[in-house]
Amino acid sequence: MLSAATRRGLALTCPAGPVRRLISTQPVSSAPVRLKPGHWALAAALLVAPAYAYLTRTRLDSRPDVVHSDVPDRVHGATKKREGKTVSVREVLDKREGDEVWVVIDGEVYNMTEFLDDHPGGREIILSNRSRDVSPIFAPRHPADQLEAANLPPNVAHLGRLDVGGATDADRAALRVKTVKSDEDEAGRIRAERDKMDQRGLGVVVNMRDFEKYAEPLLSKVAWAYYASAGDDEITKVENGRAYQRVYFRPRILRKVAEADASTTLMGQPSAIPVFVAPAAMAKLGHPLGEVNLTVGAGKSGIIQAISSNASCSIDEMIAARAPGQPLFYQLYVNRDRAKTGALVRKLDATGFAAIMLTADAPVGGKRERDLRLKGEFEGPAGGVSEKSTETKGVSQAMFAGVDPNLNWDDIKWLRTLTDIPIIVKGVQTVEDALLAHQNGADGIVISNHGGRQLDTTRPCLDVLLEIRRHAPQLLRPAFRGPTGLSPAALQDPARLTPPDANDDDVRQSKPFEIYIDGGISRGTDVVKALCLGANGVGVGRGFLFAQSVAGAAGVEHAVGILESEILLTLRLLGANTIADLRPSMVEVRE
């Protein structure tokens, strides 16, 4: 079930209906799915980034105990009400000068003085908004439970609830975050686009690229720059997708294909399709519920979500939102402070995570120029690996400040001392490193170049899988070590769907080792091609970010439905009935 904070947020977002209307329980179908009327009009102001503008005129006198009673920031920041002292608006405004720095968040007043130098986004963003209600800035970047007593940083002092009674109109206006016309214009644009999407419904989304097309006008400039950006000239991002166009199918005909099944297992966990939600950060930039949408949508669809270390929702929120028995993977960035990473790994162990994806390709953040041009005043999500910063950075660069750049192969052994959870090395881009991952005891790898977001002009991920096939076939399951395309064995018994698998003792795997791949996958045909070439499963990141931005958890379900239907169609047209039927002989790779 959802956490109390999240439930309150849902109720505030959907004042005219119950929670179940936002997180649909209906199966995905081709019929149009209507988004809740008015929901996005409320949320649009929050999601404009830089979200430092107070984009809706707040009626401070409508509820004297809550400043933002008609602003959807409550969906993020709905914390448990604390009893006790109240602080007047005038007391807050009196701190605009002096040694102490106060802010208001979600109707509560906090003394931030001792926290300034520890703030991940630097001290300037706090100082420039001192004695103001910073809820619109805080909400999209922090978990809903961040301000609960157990999660509050020890050097942030909670002073009491804001009392707006008796405050003058001038004082109430002074409390609001400064706004600029460009932010107001963008909020208006997003509201209008949300209204259009409400009218269209999800029936207009027929493939994964449609989600990207419809998400772009619904997102702020900063959100779009972060989601769509890649390293430097974005060549690798483009080539990741193009690589699949070099792989051609060899379909077999006149096979009984009335029955088809796309289910499989990933790291021993059941999955409705061989696709997992690849870890992607800052989902709240696209939707008020952020990564909780991915958790709920994945759970209802029967696939696995890999949670990002830099998620804008807390682990506890996502654990609370998952279905009974729903498996979760966690993408681990190792913090410079190893004690923090150790504590996190122990929490993952205690809460039953099914695998850890050790991120190895990001000792530093790549140069993502779209993001840098719209850097604004960004702070990384709480609980991630972002650290305090003395300069304004782009979204991605702020997030990598706390990553340990000295992470190395010996650290797999260190992780093994902390947990028995399967460890998957994410970010493998050469056959040499695939071999090292296996030799150092990893349970698998993710072939990944971070969606082209790190080092530009690295090879497409599919090329790395092909390199492993050529030079280290022992890492593949024995059935996938055979040649692609036509082989003499196939001609000896053409009635077989595929040639016989090798079953010699010398080709058996020394231990189970699973290979996953992400980057550029937007079609069910892409998924099946990767599996024919030996991958156990594939990750989709941006596609699910766009899907939840368009329609929340229902968008995630719809995306899974699209991929499942495309995978099943591909299986049938190949002459196969199940994922287990796939083999390298079903594809031909053209150089």
Side-chain angles (χ1 to χ4, degrees), residues 5-6 9 40 43-49 51 72-78 135-146 194 218-220 223 226-227 280-294 310-314 317-318 378 381-382 399 545 548-549:
T6 302
W40 289 112
L46 170 65
L47 298 175
V48 172
D73 303 308
R74 294 283 295 175
V75 93
H76 307 283
S135 300
I137 305 172
F138 181 90
R141 293 159 173 79
H142 296 78
D145 57 3
Q146 180 64 50
R194 289 289 180 192
L218 303 178
L219 296 171
S220 68
Y226 176 65
Y227 288 173
M282 298 304 294
K284 277 187 178 181
L285 289 178
H287 188 285
L289 293 182
E291 288 83 2
V292 165
N293 285 325
L294 302 176
N310 285 318
S312 50
C313 295
S314 69
E317 287 178 280
M318 288 177 273
F378 181 77
M399 287 182 179
L545 274 181
Q548 73 93 31
S549 297

Side-chain angles (χ1 to χ4, degrees), residues 2-16:
L2 299 179
S3 67
T6 302
R7 287 198 304 273
R8 286 194 297 273
L10 283 164
L12 286 159
T13 305
C14 306

Side-chain angles (χ1 to χ4, degrees), residues 34 75 136 140 147 202 233 290 305 351 361 379 412 420 444 463 495 545 591:
R34 297 291 177 184
V75 93
L147 296 178
L202 280 175
D233 298 307
Q305 175 196 14
T351 49
D361 63 338
E379 57 172 307
I412 294 178
D420 293 326
D463 286 9
L545 274 181
E591 298 299 333

Side-chain angles (χ1 to χ4, degrees), residues 347-361:
K347 180 172 184 174
L348 299 177
D349 210 5
T351 49
F353 274 74
I356 290 174
M357 290 183 171
L358 176 63
T359 303
D361 63 338

Side-chain angles (χ1 to χ4, degrees), residues 474-485:
Q474 68 273 20
L475 298 181
L476 302 169
R477 292 161 290 167
F480 293 89
R481 297 172 187 174
T484 59

Side-chain angles (χ1 to χ4, degrees), residues 510-584:
S510 58
K511 71 182 185 70
F513 189 76
E514 299 194 1
I515 297 177
Y516 301 96
I517 186 170
D518 65 19
I521 295 162
S522 62
R523 286 281 188 185
T525 51
D526 299 336
V527 176
V528 174
K529 288 174 183 178
L531 267 60
C532 286
L533 292 170
N536 292 75
V538 308
V540 174
R542 287 186 180 94
F544 284 118
L545 274 181
F546 292 136
Q548 73 93 31
S549 297
V550 169
V556 176
E557 292 182 72
H558 192 68
V560 175
I562 288 170
L563 289 171
E564 182 177 27
S565 66
E566 291 183 351
I567 292 168
L568 290 171
L569 177 63
T570 305
L571 288 177
R572 288 187 168 104
L573 293 179
L574 275 176
N577 300 101
T578 69
I579 297 299
D581 292 334
L582 299 176
R583 292 294 186 274

